[in-house]
Amino acid sequence: MKPHLVIFAKEPRMGRVKTRLARDIGKVPAWRFYRAMLADLPKRLRGKGPWRTVISHSPDRMKPSLLRACADGYVAQGGGDLGQRMLRPACYLPTGPFVVIGTDIPDIQPHHIRQAFKLLGSHDAVFGPAEDGGFWLVGLKRHPILSNPYRRPVRWSHPETLADCLANLKGKKVAFLETLTDVDDGRSFRRWRENR
């Protein structure tokens, strides 16, 4: 029952990644930020705990070598909305808890992942809240039908995203990590650069 850290990643093509950020700072700087995060995050987290690191990539047909990111395994995200894609690891990974993160949270450290898996020992789900009302991490035990934070519609990229997921988990034990900033727009990008 080895835990799995799943990192969601897109093919690093200019104009197709960090599009909201690109509107504020330009396509090239947004692309460079994404490439830097994609290279750094798996390297920073892989092998730093008892978890196996898997990159879940989009589009499905792409060759994982295009990511230039080191992981223990690579899987396609598949179709559906973000919730369906984030729940899919329960179908193809071996038994055990899993945590899903994206590639736009520069402050994620190994201790965050360790804490998430520790909390899953006594909780059904764990979230890392983001300052914008979403979340930078979601972790689930291996019973996604019983603890599915996406079973009813969720407003993605919305100030109520996390609230929608929590409403779907009513009656379940949910834990929280610290709040971090996801870099999605020019304001969050500038704040991250100032605090480096």
Side-chain angles (χ1 to χ4, degrees):
M1 290 221 341
K2 191 165 189 174
H4 286 81
L5 169 64
V6 180
I7 302 175
F8 263 43
K10 291 182 181 177
E11 183 179 4
R13 281 196 172 186
M14 194 181 312
R16 293 194 181 176
V17 293
K18 304 306 298 172
T19 53
R20 279 172 51 204
L21 178 61
R23 284 195 295 269
D24 292 343
I25 69 170
K27 286 183 181 178
V28 173
W31 175 73
R32 285 186 180 143
F33 169 80
Y34 183 79
R35 291 280 305 254
M37 290 298 102
L38 184 58
D40 178 61
L41 201 58
K43 184 168 39 175
R44 188 186 325 158
L45 300 176
R46 182 177 177 231
K48 301 299 192 301
W51 56 82
R52 185 171 179 264
T53 301
V54 176
I55 293 182
S56 181
H57 58 80
S58 174
D60 293 356
R61 67 186 180 283
M62 70 168 283
K63 293 180 180 176
S65 60
L66 292 174
L67 294 171
R68 295 183 182 167
C70 195
D72 299 313
Y74 303 86
V75 294
Q77 287 183 22
D81 68 15
L82 183 57
Q84 292 169 316
R85 288 181 281 132
M86 285 194 291
L87 198 59
R88 193 159 284 122
C91 301
Y92 57 70
L93 291 176
T95 303
F98 66 99
V99 163
V100 179
I101 61 171
T103 51
D104 57 358
I105 315 291
D107 293 330
I108 295 176
Q109 297 297 329
H111 71 86
H112 293 117
I113 309 304
R114 275 190 223 99
Q115 181 68 12
F117 284 122
K118 182 178 179 183
L119 288 167
L120 284 175
S122 56
H123 294 80
D124 298 301
V126 61
F127 286 94
E131 291 181 346
D132 62 4
F135 51 89
W136 56 269
L137 174 148
V138 58
L140 299 173
K141 284 189 177 178
R142 244 359 195 289
H143 46 74
I145 293 173
L146 299 177
S147 295
N148 179 356
Y150 326 115
R151 69 173 169 246
R152 286 189 291 273
V154 172
R155 292 168 283 184
W156 298 110
S157 300
H158 188 276
E160 299 298 321
T161 297
L162 179 55
D164 288 349
C165 290
L166 293 176
N168 286 331
L169 289 169
K170 192 172 181 180
K172 302 298 178 186
K173 287 183 71 177
V174 180
F176 298 93
L177 301 173
E178 68 181 290
T179 300
L180 297 179
T181 301
D182 54 348
V183 177
D184 278 333
D185 56 23
R187 189 177 78 175
S188 56
F189 180 77
R190 285 187 288 275
R191 189 167 62 219
W192 167 68
R193 292 197 63 172
E194 288 166 5
N195 294 328
R196 285 171 71 183

